[in-house]
Amino acid sequence: MESSQHFKMYKKGKQWCTMALASVMVGLGALATTQTTANADTTTTTDNSVDTTQTSDTSNDVQTNSVTLQSGSDSTSASNVNTTGSDNSSEQSSQSNSNSNSTVHAPLLLYSVQTNNDSTTKNGVVSEDGSNYYYVNGQKQTDYFYTNDSGQVYYFGDDGKMYQDQFYSNWGNMYYFGEDGARYTDQFYSNWGNMYYFGDDGVRYTNQFYSNWGNVYYFGEDGVRYTNQFYSNWGNLYYFGEDGARYTNQFYSNWGNTYYFGEDGVRYTNQFYSNWGNLYYFGDDGVRLDNGFYYAWGNVYYFKNDGARATNETVSVDGVGDLYFDNDGVLAYDASGTSQNEFISSIVNGAIEGWVDYGVLPSLTIAQAIIESAWGKSSLSATYHNLFGIKAGSSWTGATVNMSTGEYYNGSYTTIVDAFRAYSSNNDSVKDHSLFLVNNSRYSNLLWDKSSDSVTAKIYQDGYATSPTYTSTLRNVISNYGLTVFDQVAFKIKDMGY
């Protein structure tokens, strides 16, 4: 009589068990032995086999041998359970052997084999010819995804082979299946010196930020993590360091320049940054301003070689000389506190603006203001802020005031009453002085002239003043107070493109 054996594979918890139900040969007391091999998918090509041999001298006895393969270890355990269906005594022996040279991973199913009339039906993961395949009722699956109870995902390609150490692309996304065939999920993957990340849906991060451990990372168009790289988006620039972390509240130095990346990681551009009582400035290219002038709001500032703004100190500037900057960092004359020095400090920035905007030499402007206003103390300047004695004239539409003034006519000094322009501040007077010279064509010859000796001669020749000693007086004031240093400042600021 022909006998058959049926093997059923089932899972319980994290253990795989094999149950064999054998029927005993009837007649002549012959013993039939059947051996079946079950293969578990692993990260290697080594097959895991289970050999089961049963012997019974009575048809009423049933023996079950179960073999448990434990994930994450090389150990194999065997247990024998004997069940006797009658009072007849029975003698029974059971042997179970399992050989494995590699770790058996719980995510993969053992396949089951049914032997019936020499036919075999495969189900689950099967290792064949060094590759893993997936069978359903004996049919090899292709282009097939399998998810185990632990949520791990596997893929079997067009040829049925399980993807291992491979990328897979579909639906516009990229996935990666690791050495054990499990899809990477919430994992980093490193290859050829590049780092990739696969999210909780297994999709590779592409053109995406990733945040973890208090840091922010970025994965580019090809999925590679940015390392020692700049990233630009929406007009903002970011930098990712050698560990891939985005620079946040950090300085970055390269190419001899220093940059700063703020709280949101964006590089400072045309911005001030304050720290430890110092003020820094980062220009339109993001570079920190070192050893340079900054010109804004009609004022001149200077940032030293460490990038800190000069404040309440005298700084020696190459190609210019010694310059003093007040408590607000604004260019001033010096810190002596005398009324004369304070007067120069009050108009020096406006005088430099006159060169930057109109080409009027600062030393000329300051010297004229000193002479014409008696250091800002004349009635016309102290009350009406007219520092240059500019008369109203027929074209003037602003405020006026009639004042006595001394003039030279035919070589004789004469006092007359005339209408003069009136201003709301000294700064308005300085600005109007430049416009007065620009709008009167007879003074055009002194515009953009960088020589103080030249412009002091031209201003007299063009008829600005009638005193025959006007030129020499201007030159003496310029020399005595070292006013040409401000000409050099103005030249540098203009060269900067202001």
Side-chain angles (χ1 to χ4, degrees):
M1 180 177 180
E2 182 180 358
S3 67
S4 64
Q5 291 183 344
H6 301 278
F7 292 80
K8 181 178 181 182
M9 310 296 294
Y10 66 98
K11 183 174 71 173
K12 183 177 182 181
K14 292 188 177 179
Q15 298 180 336
W16 295 93
C17 303
T18 303
M19 177 180 288
L21 178 62
S23 62
V24 181
M25 297 281 295
V26 178
L28 302 179
L31 176 65
T33 303
T34 303
Q35 180 176 347
T36 301
T37 301
N39 296 320
D41 181 57
T42 69
T43 60
T44 70
T45 60
T46 302
D47 291 340
N48 298 313
S49 61
V50 179
D51 297 337
T52 305
T53 304
Q54 299 177 352
T55 303
S56 175
D57 59 0
T58 175
S59 62
N60 294 328
D61 292 343
V62 178
Q63 176 174 320
T64 299
N65 294 323
S66 64
V67 179
T68 301
L69 299 180
Q70 296 181 334
S71 174
S73 70
D74 292 334
S75 64
T76 303
S77 64
S79 63
N80 299 323
V81 179
N82 298 324
T83 304
T84 302
S86 68
D87 292 334
N88 297 330
S89 63
S90 63
E91 183 176 316
Q92 201 167 331
S93 65
S94 168
Q95 181 178 4
S96 176
N97 299 317
S98 176
N99 299 318
S100 176
N101 294 322
S102 62
T103 302
V104 178
H105 294 271
L108 302 179
L109 289 172
L110 297 170
Y111 73 81
S112 64
V113 178
Q114 292 181 340
T115 304
N116 187 11
N117 296 327
D118 297 328
S119 65
T120 300
T121 301
K122 301 177 182 178
N123 279 291
V125 177
V126 180
S127 179
E128 297 176 338
D129 300 325
S131 297
N132 294 315
Y133 302 86
Y134 194 85
Y135 284 86
V136 176
N137 294 326
Q139 296 294 316
K140 182 186 293 183
Q141 304 300 299
T142 59
D143 193 20
Y144 181 78
F145 285 93
Y146 163 66
T147 303
N148 67 14
D149 289 344
S150 298
Q152 291 173 301
V153 179
Y154 303 82
Y155 177 70
F156 300 83
D158 292 339
D159 58 357
K161 291 182 180 180
M162 184 174 72
Y163 268 41
Q164 292 176 268
D165 284 330
Q166 285 177 266
F167 286 97
Y168 169 72
S169 180
N170 206 347
W171 312 291
N173 295 320
M174 184 72 74
Y175 305 82
Y176 183 75
F177 294 85
E179 184 178 351
D180 61 353
R183 187 191 71 187
Y184 269 39
T185 303
D186 281 330
Q187 286 176 266
F188 287 94
Y189 168 69
S190 179
N191 198 5
W192 294 96
N194 294 321
M195 184 71 76
Y196 305 83
Y197 180 74
F198 297 85
D200 55 14
D201 57 356
V203 176
R204 186 188 71 186
Y205 269 39
T206 302
N207 289 330
Q208 285 177 266
F209 287 98
Y210 168 72
S211 181
N212 207 346
W213 313 292
N215 294 320
V216 177
Y217 304 82
Y218 184 76
F219 296 84
E221 179 70 28
D222 56 358
V224 176
R225 187 189 70 185
Y226 271 39
T227 303
N228 287 329
Q229 286 177 266
F230 287 95
Y231 167 68
S232 179
N233 195 8
W234 295 95
N236 294 321
L237 192 68
Y238 305 82
Y239 182 73
F240 297 84
E242 62 181 62
D243 61 351
R246 187 188 71 186
Y247 270 40
T248 303
N249 288 332
Q250 286 177 264
F251 286 98
Y252 168 73
S253 182
N254 207 346
W255 312 292
N257 296 319
T258 301
Y259 305 82
Y260 185 76
F261 295 84
E263 179 70 29
D264 57 357
V266 176
R267 186 191 71 183
Y268 270 38
T269 303
N270 288 328
Q271 286 176 265
F272 288 96
Y273 167 69
S274 180
N275 196 10
W276 294 97
N278 292 319
L279 190 68
Y280 304 84
Y281 179 74
F282 298 85
D284 54 13
D285 57 356
V287 175
R288 189 185 69 186
L289 182 57
D290 297 344
N291 291 321
F293 289 103
Y294 175 72
Y295 182 68
W297 312 291
N299 294 322
V300 177
Y301 304 85
Y302 187 77
F303 291 84
K304 300 176 292 184
N305 59 1
D306 61 353
R309 187 190 66 184
T311 304
N312 194 27
E313 60 185 307
T314 298
V315 178
S316 181
V317 179
D318 290 343
V320 176
D322 291 343
L323 298 172
Y324 175 74
F325 296 86
D326 65 16
N327 286 331
D328 296 321
V330 177
L331 177 66
Y333 186 66
D334 65 22
S336 64
T338 66
S339 60
Q340 293 180 338
N341 292 343
E342 289 178 354
F343 177 75
I344 295 176
S345 295
S346 71
I347 63 174
V348 64
N349 287 277
I352 290 173
E353 185 177 15
W355 173 265
V356 173
D357 293 344
Y358 306 111
V360 179
L361 200 64
S363 59
L364 173 65
T365 301
I366 298 171
Q368 282 193 283
I370 290 171
I371 294 171
E372 299 289 346
S373 70
W375 294 95
K377 294 180 179 179
S378 69
S379 298
L380 182 61
S381 61
T383 305
Y384 302 102
H385 303 290
N386 188 329
L387 305 180
F388 301 93
I390 300 177
K391 295 178 180 179
S394 59
S395 62
W396 177 250
T397 58
T400 63
V401 59
N402 292 324
M403 300 286 291
S404 297
T405 182
E407 304 284 349
Y408 281 90
Y409 291 101
N410 299 320
S412 300
Y413 184 79
T414 304
T415 300
I416 64 172
V417 176
D418 211 339
F420 292 86
R421 299 181 182 186
Y423 307 97
S424 59
S425 68
N426 285 354
N427 195 52
D428 287 342
S429 178
V430 172
K431 288 183 179 180
D432 190 52
H433 169 260
S434 296
L435 288 173
F436 176 80
L437 298 179
V438 169
N439 293 332
N440 286 275
S441 59
R442 61 178 175 171
Y443 301 113
S444 62
N445 61 340
L446 59 81
L447 300 178
W448 303 111
D449 188 337
K450 294 184 176 181
S451 170
S452 61
D453 283 345
S454 175
V455 295
T456 51
K458 290 176 180 177
I459 194 76
Y460 172 72
Q461 294 166 2
D462 295 339
Y464 188 92
T466 58
S467 171
T469 61
Y470 195 66
T471 296
S472 60
T473 302
L474 289 173
R475 288 175 179 174
N476 288 334
V477 170
I478 291 172
S479 176
N480 291 339
Y481 292 93
L483 301 181
T484 56
V485 69
F486 300 118
D487 295 341
Q488 299 303 315
V489 174
F491 300 157
K492 283 189 174 291
I493 290 176
K494 187 64 177 178
D495 290 343
M496 291 168 60
Y498 289 103

